[in-house]
Amino acid sequence: GVPMPALAPQLAAAAGYTAVAGLGLTSIKDRLLKLPPSSTSTRARNFAVKRGSGVAIWLVCILACLEILRFELGLTLGSIFAFSGVSGLALGFAAKDLASNWVGGALLFVTRPFVPGDKIALTNLPQSVVERIGWYATRVRCDDDQVQVVPNSKFVSNKVSNLSKRRHRCIRENIHLSYDDLPRCGEIVAALKARLAEMPDVDTKRRFYIFIKELRETDVEIEIEVHWRGVSSQEYRERRTEALLLIAEVVREFGASFAVWDGVLTNSGDSAASAGRLVAALDLSGRRSASVAELYD
């Protein structure tokens, strides 16, 4: 038979024709399959259709190339695969990073942790929307409209959070009330539970926490955790604003006030005055702490 080195030009030409045919057909496929984005499930189905059709096109081109080589040059499939296996092994050692990114692209297609249109968070990458998932890299657009191209191997070796698949959004806040309002804290907590539970889309079965958390040195700390069912980012910010204003309204309705010790000590520019306020605050808080037991004896 003809030695393999003598057939290298023909093999290179066949590989080139295969690459041109595959790229051309893939480009036509991408133009024909411009599917509009919709829900998460629809985006996943569209991504599977586009990527699966691309894989099918390349397989057909490669098989056609092998058949042409077999008939035109008289090569057996075993010799072609042996040559391509040795060449691929040498190329794999020379381009290890390239191969790892291609493997990462294949894993993204098989596992589909996210699809184009999803919002994700990755280590050392701010929250971004996926625009395109390629075989080598993925293009994302950050919240500040900055476009970044991330190698696919990064998604395999780092933790990825798909923010588009969240079923709930929540707020976690700790408010601090004055010790003068301690006798009314129980009523305030009950009122907060009732008023926040009436907000739209609130899921009271999922960590609906409104409790007195701690009696601190200078104030009473109340923890608040509220979850909403599947709202968008815009709606979540509106719900959060409504909840915070509602918390302030309930506190004001009971004649209570938020503790301001930290603000007094931090915002004061006069060190002597700050020291005086610190002494007075500690002395007052000590008297209040000692009187806590007397309030409920």
Side-chain angles (χ1 to χ4, degrees), residues 6 15 38 47 90 127 136 189 203 233-234 257:
S38 184
F47 173 67
Q127 295 185 7
Y136 175 77
V189 167
D203 189 354
S233 297
Q234 181 68 25
S257 60

Side-chain angles (χ1 to χ4, degrees), residues 171-192:
I171 62 168
R172 295 183 179 90
E173 296 290 338
N174 292 331
I175 63 174
H176 305 271
L177 303 182
S178 171
Y179 263 109
D180 292 335
D181 304 317
L182 184 58
R184 295 185 290 273
C185 283
E187 298 178 1
I188 293 174
V189 167
L192 287 174

Side-chain angles (χ1 to χ4, degrees), residues 6-60:
L7 298 177
Q10 290 88 339
L11 293 175
Y17 293 144
T18 302
V20 171
L23 291 174
L25 292 175
T26 302
S27 178
I28 295 174
K29 179 264 300 180
D30 290 338
R31 292 186 179 183
L32 294 177
L33 291 179
K34 284 187 176 180
L35 303 174
S38 184
S39 62
T40 302
S41 59
T42 305
R43 290 199 306 267
R45 184 169 60 251
N46 293 346
F47 173 67
V49 170
K50 294 182 67 175
R51 182 54 57 87
S53 59
V55 172
I57 287 173
W58 280 104
L59 286 177
V60 169

Side-chain angles (χ1 to χ4, degrees), residues 180-228:
D180 292 335
D181 304 317
L182 184 58
R184 295 185 290 273
C185 283
E187 298 178 1
I188 293 174
V189 167
L192 287 174
K193 288 182 179 179
R195 297 283 292 276
L196 290 174
E198 295 174 353
M199 292 187 64
D201 300 320
V202 168
D203 189 354
T204 56
K205 297 180 180 179
R206 181 181 175 88
R207 295 176 64 87
F208 187 69
Y209 292 164
I210 305 176
F211 300 103
I212 296 177
K213 181 179 180 180
E214 184 180 0
L215 300 178
R216 305 200 316 162
E217 291 291 333
T218 57
D219 53 59
V220 181
E221 183 175 7
I222 297 177
E223 65 171 338
I224 300 174
E225 182 174 347
V226 181
H227 292 253
W228 289 275

Side-chain angles (χ1 to χ4, degrees), residues 93-282:
F93 280 112
K96 182 175 63 175
D97 293 338
L98 179 64
S100 64
N101 288 323
W102 275 70
V103 172
L107 290 176
L108 290 179
F109 169 62
V110 174
T111 60
R112 276 187 288 176
F114 54 83
V115 296
D118 285 351
K119 191 169 188 177
I120 64 172
L122 179 69
T123 306
N124 297 327
L125 178 72
Q127 295 185 7
S128 308
V129 176
V130 179
E131 291 191 339
R132 181 180 181 277
I133 302 176
W135 287 109
Y136 175 77
T138 296
R139 186 177 68 225
V140 300
R141 187 177 296 272
C142 305
D143 288 340
D144 59 357
D145 208 35
Q146 181 182 6
V147 176
Q148 296 192 27
V149 178
V150 184
N152 288 333
S153 60
K154 298 294 184 182
F155 298 106
V156 178
S157 58
N158 291 279
K159 182 181 71 173
V160 182
S161 298
N162 191 332
L163 305 180
S164 296
K165 293 185 177 180
R166 287 181 297 190
R167 294 176 295 180
H168 290 79
R169 305 293 293 271
C170 75
I171 62 168
R172 295 183 179 90
E173 296 290 338
N174 292 331
I175 63 174
H176 305 271
L177 303 182
S178 171
Y179 263 109
D180 292 335
D181 304 317
L182 184 58
R184 295 185 290 273
C185 283
E187 298 178 1
I188 293 174
V189 167
L192 287 174
K193 288 182 179 179
R195 297 283 292 276
L196 290 174
E198 295 174 353
M199 292 187 64
D201 300 320
V202 168
D203 189 354
T204 56
K205 297 180 180 179
R206 181 181 175 88
R207 295 176 64 87
F208 187 69
Y209 292 164
I210 305 176
F211 300 103
I212 296 177
K213 181 179 180 180
E214 184 180 0
L215 300 178
R216 305 200 316 162
E217 291 291 333
T218 57
D219 53 59
V220 181
E221 183 175 7
I222 297 177
E223 65 171 338
I224 300 174
E225 182 174 347
V226 181
H227 292 253
W228 289 275
R229 299 182 189 89
V231 295
S232 64
S233 297
Q234 181 68 25
E235 292 175 333
Y236 163 68
R237 285 167 173 79
E238 294 175 357
R239 297 281 193 273
R240 182 179 62 188
T241 301
E242 295 173 5
L244 294 176
L245 292 176
L246 180 59
I247 292 171
E249 180 181 349
V250 170
V251 172
R252 185 174 63 252
E253 287 177 355
F254 282 88
S257 60
F258 295 102
V260 295
W261 303 113
D262 294 337
V264 169
L265 296 177
T266 303
N267 298 328
S268 177
D270 186 354
S271 59
S274 298
R277 292 189 182 95
L278 176 61
V279 173
L282 293 177

